[in-house]
Amino acid sequence: MTETVDTVEAPVRGETDVLKKIDAVEAAAKAGQGRLDPVVLTEATQIVDRSGQRLRMSGELTVVALAGATGSGKSSLFNTLTGLDLAAIGTRRPTSSMPLACVWGEEPAGEVLNWLGIPRRHQVQHRSSLEEAQSEDLDGLVLLDLPDHDSTEVEHRLIVDRLVELVDMLVWVVDPQKYADAALHNRYIKPFTSHSGVMVFALNHIDKLTPDQRKSCLDDLERLLKSDGLKSPTVVGTSAVSGDGLDEVRSLLVKRVSNKRSARERLSADVDRVADRMASQCGTAKTPEIDQSDITELVDSLSDASGLSVVVDAVRRSYLQRARAATGWPLTKWLGRFRPDPLRRLHVDQVSRQQGKALRKSASNEVAIARSSLPAATPVQRARMDTAVRNITTKAAEGLSRPWADSVRSAIRRREESLGDELDQAVARTDLGASDNPGWWGAARFVQWVLFLITLGGGVWLAALLVARIAGLDDPPLPEWNGIPYAWIMLVGGAVLGLAVSFVCRLFATSGAARRSRLVAKALREELEKVADSHVVAPARAELEAYTTCRDNLAIARD
């Protein structure tokens, strides 16, 4: 019972590890889109798709391919290993352009063979054990004889290239004359250095060599493979004629078939290979951080370049001017009507509170906002802004590999081009309170008009007395208070009180203007912070977040 549990748990645990690595590569590839080499990303996507397809198929089957050059003897080796004569099934394999598959056992292999692209006429079911290894169980083995990888037919080479990417294990059959062939090493071995565990190299035709020559060739082949990057290559000397090395090859096949892990090991090796290629571009540096002090400096420079101080001062002066017009002495405040409103001169008084909320709420929908007449940024202000942007860009790209550093710079540069226009839009859509009048203005206006009417009444009363005297009429009696006629009290008192109320209102207006300018400065700075975030900080952080996702998932895939 214990052995049964161990046999079941090990494959499940291995499969989970492979799935975890595949998911990590998929996540890394998505994060690297538009940043890393598209060729590598395409390869990663293909491996993820291919791995998913293979894992959905039977885990009881192990696909092993015999591959080699013309004259290497792989077909003879295939005949010997299968105990079949290829010539006897020539009607099923009319040409060598298609691989031949031999399947051991009763496990259905149709889905795997269809996925490999091997037609039914090139499939043979082997239902008996090998005569030389009757005690060894090869049920579940799918053995392929591939076309020559150095064939003059392009179709043959394409088939080999495709199946080399799909099979669970590769047995490279080489001969003493061609084992150092550069095409084999450069095209099929060096790119697959992470696949050492799923590759076997059979030096065939050793029956034609002396013992010293055999040892020399085997040692030299192992040396070449290690120089290609394979850490512990498996090299076997074989001969289909003398039978040398065939027992060792069979033992390797039996071991692979029995542990049912070749497919997962092959997929893991595929993942390792593409993960290494992606990691070489992504890098493993610590994710840079954007300091708050740098963001503050950027917002300060945007405030300077956008004319924030000019707007705030215009808000203050506009508030005072409107306060005087609303609460001033009626006989003097009309002079202020000839002064243009500072906000209107800048064309930033169009946005009311309700409009401002609507515009801010719809800012993402590209609402058109009237341009202001704020002065353009001076060269000094522009230089300060560029320096602040460049400083954040440098900090965000510091230590990153070139693809990611370039991606950070490009992301900020794309948004930076519209930064100047966005500053003007930010000011234009900010509610400056141009139409928001305090309630006390209305009360003060009422009081001023009452005092004005009293003053006017006193003046009319005195004027009437003057006219009566000029006309020689009797002076009407004048009511008095402590010897002072009420008419004079109304005239002088109304005027004095009116001017006094104007003075007090001006004091309150000065305080209110200062408060309003502080609120507007805060609102404008918040808008500029949004601009800084959307055009500089957010793009940089998005790239850094993608980099972190890519780096961390590649670490999982390569673990």
Side-chain angles (χ1 to χ4, degrees):
M1 180 65 70
T2 303
E3 293 180 358
T4 302
V5 173
D6 290 343
T7 303
V8 173
E9 286 184 353
V12 172
R13 184 167 56 250
E15 183 173 340
T16 301
D17 292 341
V18 173
L19 288 173
K20 184 178 180 181
K21 291 162 71 76
I22 292 172
D23 290 342
V25 166
E26 183 177 19
K30 288 181 179 179
Q33 285 294 334
R35 299 158 178 118
L36 303 183
D37 184 355
V39 174
V40 178
L41 294 177
T42 299
E43 180 183 356
T45 302
Q46 292 173 347
I47 286 177
V48 169
D49 293 341
R50 185 167 68 236
S51 300
Q53 294 171 5
R54 182 65 181 93
L55 289 174
R56 285 193 296 269
M57 299 176 189
S58 174
E60 299 298 315
L61 296 176
T62 302
V63 182
V64 180
L66 299 180
T70 304
S72 63
K74 58 181 175 56
S75 294
S76 298
L77 191 61
F78 181 83
N79 281 344
T80 304
L81 290 172
T82 60
L84 301 173
D85 185 0
L86 286 175
I89 57 172
T91 56
R92 300 186 187 183
R93 194 185 193 198
T95 69
S96 60
S97 63
M98 292 298 297
L100 176 67
C102 184
V103 183
W104 275 262
E106 301 295 332
E107 179 73 19
E111 184 180 16
V112 173
L113 293 173
N114 290 337
W115 179 64
L116 294 171
I118 300 177
R120 290 186 60 82
R121 60 177 177 160
H122 293 278
Q123 304 173 16
V124 178
Q125 191 75 26
H126 200 304
R127 301 183 184 277
S128 61
S129 302
L130 292 178
E131 181 179 353
E132 297 86 347
Q134 303 214 350
S135 61
E136 298 174 342
D137 187 7
L138 285 175
D139 283 354
L141 172 64
V142 179
L143 188 63
L144 304 182
D145 180 22
L146 303 186
D148 302 330
H149 72 77
D150 62 348
S151 173
T152 56
E153 296 291 336
V154 175
E155 180 186 4
H156 298 185
R157 297 198 300 271
L158 292 177
I159 292 174
V160 174
D161 291 347
R162 180 175 61 82
L163 290 176
V164 162
E165 298 279 354
L166 299 178
V167 298
D168 303 329
M169 179 179 174
L170 276 164
V171 178
W172 287 103
V173 182
V174 296
D175 65 83
Q177 295 181 343
K178 294 184 179 180
Y179 68 80
D181 180 30
L184 169 65
H185 288 264
N186 294 332
R187 189 170 183 177
Y188 297 106
I189 298 179
K190 290 181 179 179
F192 293 90
T193 55
S194 60
H195 293 60
S196 179
V198 294
M199 287 196 295
V200 173
F201 297 87
L203 181 63
N204 206 19
H205 301 315
I206 62 170
D207 58 295
K208 299 179 181 180
L209 303 176
T210 65
D212 290 341
Q213 290 174 332
R214 291 182 185 182
K215 184 177 185 307
S216 177
C217 287
L218 288 171
D219 290 345
D220 192 45
L221 175 58
E222 184 173 358
R223 179 190 61 79
L224 286 175
L225 295 174
K226 288 183 177 180
S227 68
D228 288 338
L230 275 67
K231 295 181 179 180
S232 301
T234 302
V235 180
V236 182
T238 61
S239 172
V241 176
S242 65
D244 290 339
L246 295 186
D247 288 341
E248 188 174 353
V249 173
R250 291 189 187 102
S251 297
L252 290 170
L253 295 180
V254 169
K255 182 179 180 181
R256 286 290 177 177
V257 171
S258 63
N259 64 24
K260 309 298 182 184
R261 295 180 59 86
S262 294
R264 290 187 293 274
E265 290 178 5
R266 168 58 199 262
L267 296 178
S268 181
D270 286 342
V271 170
D272 289 341
R273 182 184 64 163
V274 74
D276 286 342
R277 293 188 63 187
M278 292 175 65
S280 66
Q281 297 183 17
C282 178
T284 58
K286 180 181 178 181
T287 304
E289 295 182 359
I290 302 175
D291 296 334
Q292 184 60 42
S293 59
D294 295 326
I295 300 176
T296 301
E297 172 58 27
L298 174 61
V299 176
D300 289 342
S301 67
L302 296 182
S303 301
D304 194 21
S306 65
L308 183 145
S309 60
V310 174
V311 176
V312 170
D313 182 65
V315 168
R316 182 187 62 80
R317 290 186 291 111
S318 175
Y319 185 97
L320 288 174
Q321 184 170 324
R322 289 185 293 111
R324 291 168 185 168
T327 65
W329 179 240
L331 291 178
T332 58
K333 70 179 183 179
W334 66 273
L335 295 174
R337 296 178 180 178
F338 297 100
R339 300 175 184 172
D341 189 285
L343 289 180
R344 292 185 178 180
R345 295 181 62 182
L346 296 177
H347 293 168
V348 291
D349 65 325
Q350 302 95 332
V351 182
S352 66
R353 175 174 297 178
Q354 292 75 15
Q355 292 172 329
K357 290 181 179 178
L359 289 173
R360 287 192 295 273
K361 187 175 181 180
S362 306
S364 59
N365 298 326
E366 299 182 359
V367 176
I369 302 175
R371 290 196 171 277
S372 68
S373 297
L374 288 169
T378 65
V380 174
Q381 292 171 335
R382 184 70 190 183
R384 182 188 177 191
M385 183 175 66
D386 292 342
T387 300
V389 173
R390 186 165 55 252
N391 186 45
I392 289 181
T393 304
T394 302
K395 293 285 186 67
E398 186 176 6
L400 298 182
S401 60
R402 183 171 181 177
W404 282 104
D406 290 344
S407 182
V408 169
R409 298 187 186 99
S410 297
I412 295 177
R413 190 180 303 116
R414 286 193 299 269
R415 301 302 304 274
E416 185 185 3
E417 294 175 355
S418 60
L419 191 56
D421 290 338
E422 187 61 27
L423 293 180
D424 194 74
Q425 296 284 305
V427 173
R429 65 172 170 260
T430 301
D431 178 15
L432 303 181
S435 60
D436 297 340
N437 298 330
W440 67 268
W441 285 12
R445 181 186 294 109
F446 175 78
V447 171
Q448 288 285 41
W449 277 106
V450 169
L451 293 176
F452 174 73
L453 291 176
I454 291 174
T455 303
L456 182 62
V460 170
W461 194 347
L462 292 176
L465 290 176
L466 179 61
V467 171
R469 287 183 179 182
I470 294 174
L473 300 177
D474 295 335
D475 290 341
L478 284 176
E480 297 179 350
W481 178 77
N482 292 331
I484 303 175
Y486 280 112
W488 284 103
I489 292 176
M490 292 173 61
L491 176 64
V492 177
V496 171
L497 287 176
L499 294 175
V501 169
S502 296
F503 178 76
V504 173
C505 287
R506 180 168 299 188
L507 294 178
F508 279 105
T510 301
S511 176
R515 183 170 57 255
R516 175 64 60 81
S517 62
R518 286 195 300 269
L519 292 175
V520 169
K522 181 180 178 181
L524 284 171
R525 189 171 180 87
E526 288 176 353
E527 286 294 329
L528 295 178
E529 287 175 352
K530 294 177 183 177
V531 173
D533 182 74
S534 63
H535 283 65
V536 180
V537 180
R541 284 179 171 165
E543 293 301 313
L544 295 180
E545 182 179 353
Y547 164 75
T548 302
T549 299
C550 186
R551 180 201 61 193
D552 292 349
N553 278 281
L554 288 177
I556 295 173
R558 301 174 71 196
D559 187 13

